[in-house]
């Protein structure tokens, strides 16, 4: 349970950002404009870089301390999902400030 929940939350954040959740599918016409697509691309691009860096660190950790591999993988996936969500929210907030 302690290993699965952070990964589930990370995937949930990515699913919401990509518009794969049920609410986003219903409201697709309002959420699929150019600005939202640009925000998704920028936030997922940064999350991919963070995930690749974290994966490289996990590889180094697994060579040094194999017993730390599983928690490190969970942390890497959670960190990637968190970065995607935080970056998307930050970009959306900046756009809201520019409008108002």
């Amino acid at each position: 349970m302690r290993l699965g929940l952070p990964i589930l939350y990370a995937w949930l954040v990515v699913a919401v950002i990509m518009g794969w959740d049920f609410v986003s599918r219903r409201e697709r016409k309002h959420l699929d404009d150019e600005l939202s697509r640009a925000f998704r691309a920028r936030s997922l691009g940064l999350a991919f870089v963070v995930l690749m860096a974290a994966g490289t660190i996990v590889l180094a950790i697994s060579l040094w301390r194999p017993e730390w591999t599983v928690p490190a993988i969970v942390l890497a996936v959670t960190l990637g999902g968190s970065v995607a969500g935080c970056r998307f929210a930050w970009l959306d907030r900046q756009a809201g400030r520019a409008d108002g």
Side-chain angles (χ1 to χ4, degrees):
M1 185 86 148
R2 289 187 337 203
L3 295 178
L5 281 179
I7 292 174
L8 178 68
Y9 289 148
W11 275 102
L12 182 66
V13 168
V14 171
V16 169
I17 289 173
M18 291 302 296
W20 296 337
D21 62 324
F22 298 110
V23 175
S24 296
R25 285 179 186 239
R26 242 188 353 226
E27 303 294 327
R28 178 64 96 188
K29 61 183 174 240
H30 301 294
L31 300 172
D32 203 21
D33 58 340
E34 286 183 39
L35 189 60
S36 295
R37 279 187 258 148
F39 287 169
R40 281 197 295 270
R42 289 177 70 186
S43 63
L44 290 175
L46 178 63
F48 179 73
V49 171
V50 168
L51 188 59
M52 289 297 293
T56 304
I57 293 169
V58 168
L59 176 64
I61 288 172
S62 69
L63 295 174
W64 178 51
R65 298 274 188 180
E67 66 273 7
W68 291 359
T69 302
V70 172
I73 290 171
V74 171
L75 182 63
V77 171
T78 304
L79 187 62
S82 300
V83 165
C86 289
R87 177 74 171 161
F88 187 82
W90 183 78
L91 288 169
D92 190 47
R93 184 174 181 190
Q94 293 297 92
R97 283 187 184 166
D99 286 343

